[in-house]
Amino acid sequence: MKDNSYLIPIGRRLAEVRRSHHMTQEELADKLGVSPKHISHTECGTSSLSLKNLIEFCAIFDCSMDYIILGKANDDALSKLPEEILKILYTGSTLDVDRLNRYLTVYAELLNRQD
């Protein structure tokens, strides 16, 4: 039997992204042209999306494939950010990302005032 344990964290991240965008498994299955059961198995880590569907998933949710597959950014600057911020960037709603941008803008302005 093959070791597919690497699929479990990938499935969790897929579910996390889908849920953060308030989409059901059925709605996602319809968009990807697969069965809801396949989405359920994928999120549980007992199956996986095809590369074509994984690319489509990332396009639908505007998320990074690095995050889905590796659980982190494949970018040196982003990899230095706290996990909580990366989670917002990769799985947050538009409102969450906008709110984070506003906080960071205020922070940058405060830093500039100190100089």
Side-chain angles (χ1 to χ4, degrees):
M1 187 168 164
K2 289 194 264 181
D3 178 20
N4 291 337
S5 60
Y6 65 93
L7 293 176
I8 294 170
I10 292 171
R12 285 184 186 142
R13 287 188 290 273
L14 290 168
E16 177 181 58
V17 170
R18 177 187 56 76
R19 286 187 197 114
S20 73
H21 288 84
H22 309 289
M23 186 179 288
T24 66
Q25 288 181 339
E26 292 78 12
E27 291 168 328
L28 178 58
D30 187 53
K31 287 185 179 286
L32 296 179
V34 298
S35 71
K37 190 172 185 174
H38 181 61
I39 298 298
S40 176
H41 287 284
T42 299
E43 290 182 358
C44 290
T46 58
S47 185
S48 62
L49 293 177
S50 68
L51 181 56
K52 175 185 171 276
N53 283 335
L54 184 57
I55 291 168
E56 184 65 22
F57 179 94
C58 290
I60 289 168
F61 296 112
D62 191 28
C63 67
S64 162
M65 198 173 299
D66 287 333
Y67 176 73
I68 296 298
I69 296 172
L70 303 173
K72 61 184 173 116
N74 195 15
D75 177 293
D76 191 42
L78 286 177
S79 67
K80 294 176 184 171
L81 292 174
E83 189 64 34
E84 294 81 9
I85 291 177
L86 289 176
K87 187 173 179 180
I88 293 169
L89 288 173
Y90 292 130
T91 67
S93 67
T94 303
L95 178 65
D96 293 335
V97 174
D98 288 344
R99 186 176 293 137
L100 177 61
N101 278 326
R102 287 195 306 272
Y103 289 140
L104 293 174
T105 299
V106 169
Y107 179 73
E109 288 172 2
L110 290 172
L111 284 178
N112 288 334
R113 289 183 186 170
Q114 290 179 355
D115 294 335

